[in-house]
Amino acid sequence: MTIEEVVRVAEETARGASDSVRVIGVTASPEGSQYAEIVIDIECALSQTPHRISIGVFRDAPRTDVQQAIGQRLRQHLQECDTPLGGN
Ligand SMILES: [Zn+2]
């Protein structure tokens, strides 16, 4: 996938996960590497300011794998932040 396609997949997945998720951007790594990092802001229930997370993906992985990795991380974070247990 190109960086643009990764952004599109990330945005689609983010929209499906929650209204409070916003894709900030995708950073590519040095040439020759398929590794990319997706930067996402999440407006969490327990936080005044959005939480920023980054998710590492490989652009040569199947699209469904990338979607799954993003969705999993988002759900995990939303779950952690919506639960007053743990933390502090
Ligand atoms: Zn959070």
Side-chain angles (χ1 to χ4, degrees), residues 5-20:
E5 283 171 320
V6 174
V7 171
R8 206 158 46 229
V9 169
E11 282 173 343
E12 279 167 13
T13 309
R15 251 201 312 275
S18 168
D19 284 345
S20 53

Side-chain angles (χ1 to χ4, degrees), residues 1 6 20-23 35 40 44 54 60-62 64 67 70-72 76:
M1 285 189 278
V6 174
S20 53
V21 175
R22 200 157 68 93
V23 178
Y35 184 75
I40 293 178
C44 296
S54 61
D60 56 353
T64 49
Q67 278 171 335
I70 298 168
Q72 227 164 48
Q76 191 190 353

Side-chain angles (χ1 to χ4, degrees), residues 39-72:
V39 181
I40 293 178
D41 270 3
I42 307 176
E43 286 171 34
C44 296
L46 298 177
S47 172
Q48 299 291 319
T49 53
H51 286 162
R52 178 158 295 184
I53 63 169
S54 61
I55 304 170
V57 297
F58 287 95
R59 291 192 284 125
D60 56 353
R63 184 178 289 249
T64 49
D65 282 13
V66 174
Q67 278 171 335
Q68 226 166 49
I70 298 168
Q72 227 164 48

